[in-house]
Amino acid sequence: MTDFDYIAIAWFALGWIGFAALTDGRIPIRRISLTRAMNENRRLWMRTAARRDLRMIDTAILAGLQNGTAFFASTTILAIGGCFALLGSTDRVLSVAGDLPIPLVADRVAFEAKVFGLIGIFAYAFFKFGWSYRLFNYSSILFGAIPMKADAGGNMAELDASADRAAEINILAGRHFNAGLRAIFMSIGYLGWFAGPYVLIGSTTLVVMVLLRRQFLSNARSAILKETSST
């Protein structure tokens, strides 16, 4: 590990933490992110669903959110297993890397340390997806506890309070899901470290720039905000 390696890792961590803070709204900026815009639509969804007599479509949406989270949780488990398999083939990987024109890491200890770092990223993502799945389950239960409009006796405040409670858990579940997905995206940038600290800085910067564009400058964000303002 050289000084440049430590600088590159610090840049990687700073990019990850800074991007998360920007998209989640912990750093106040005037431009709303795609994630925050979707959170407002989650609240709108729950309040709209609370006023529906038939909620089958809403339960299908909740099931879809859980299934998507379960898929990514399973994927991270497979990725962790692949990393451990990579550790068992270190000599073969280093032999192949030595024949490539790309200056990949050729030191056994450094290579294994970097693989363990990749395992740590995927393990973090798995726990985020696992907790998100649990929270989506809680959100489904709270959604089921929302009284029917006829049973509320015209008390819209009580109906909205129940809907907002389910929405807050749903938003929290989405936040953890986004954190897990963010870890997978950042793992792509982390792969640059196997080619050296300068490549890590470049790959991290590229990944963060792509993610920032999707959150703040994408067509999806524009479409969602247009829909939000029209409602």
Side-chain angles (χ1 to χ4, degrees):
M1 292 284 289
T2 65
D3 292 339
F4 291 113
D5 285 297
Y6 291 115
I7 293 173
I9 285 296
W11 179 254
F12 175 79
L14 181 64
W16 188 343
I17 295 170
F19 172 73
L22 280 173
T23 55
D24 291 342
R26 293 195 297 271
I27 296 178
I29 58 175
R30 295 183 60 183
R31 193 169 182 84
I32 188 172
S33 67
L34 176 62
T35 297
R36 293 175 61 195
M38 281 306 303
N39 288 342
E40 294 303 316
N41 279 274
R42 289 177 194 266
R43 293 189 179 92
L44 177 62
W45 164 39
M46 287 295 176
R47 288 201 171 197
T48 303
R51 288 164 168 76
R52 271 198 280 262
D53 294 327
L54 300 177
R55 300 173 180 172
M56 287 83 75
I57 187 172
D58 304 296
T59 56
I61 295 171
L62 288 168
L65 292 173
Q66 281 189 296
N67 292 336
T69 305
F71 168 79
F72 280 105
S74 301
T75 302
T76 54
I77 288 293
L78 294 175
I80 291 172
C83 289
F84 277 110
L86 193 62
L87 285 174
S89 305
T90 301
D91 293 330
R92 185 176 178 182
V93 172
L94 292 178
S95 176
V96 172
D99 297 332
L100 296 175
I102 305 173
L104 296 177
V105 59
D107 181 74
R108 181 186 183 92
V109 176
F111 175 79
E112 292 180 347
K114 293 173 183 180
V115 172
F116 274 115
L118 194 60
I119 291 173
I121 292 174
F122 287 132
Y124 170 83
F126 170 75
F127 279 108
K128 284 296 183 180
F129 287 131
W131 185 234
S132 175
Y133 184 89
R134 192 70 176 270
L135 290 175
F136 277 128
N137 184 44
Y138 292 157
S139 178
S140 300
I141 294 171
L142 291 174
F143 178 80
I146 298 175
M148 300 301 292
K149 185 178 179 181
D151 297 334
N155 189 347
M156 292 296 103
E158 179 184 351
L159 200 65
D160 287 340
S162 297
D164 289 343
R165 183 174 59 172
E168 288 302 321
I169 295 298
N170 195 278
I171 290 170
L172 187 59
R175 185 177 302 164
H176 284 278
F177 177 84
N178 289 335
L181 203 58
R182 192 181 301 126
I184 292 180
F185 289 143
M186 294 303 298
S187 70
I188 305 300
Y190 181 89
L191 292 176
W193 198 20
F194 288 92
Y198 297 107
V199 180
L200 174 59
I201 293 174
S203 59
T204 299
T205 303
L206 179 62
V207 169
V208 171
M209 287 178 64
V210 170
L211 295 179
L212 283 172
R213 179 192 171 279
R214 291 179 176 178
Q215 283 287 336
F216 295 99
L217 299 171
S218 65
N219 293 331
R221 174 190 175 276
S222 299
I224 289 170
L225 286 178
K226 284 181 182 178
E227 181 66 23
T228 302
S229 58
S230 65
T231 55

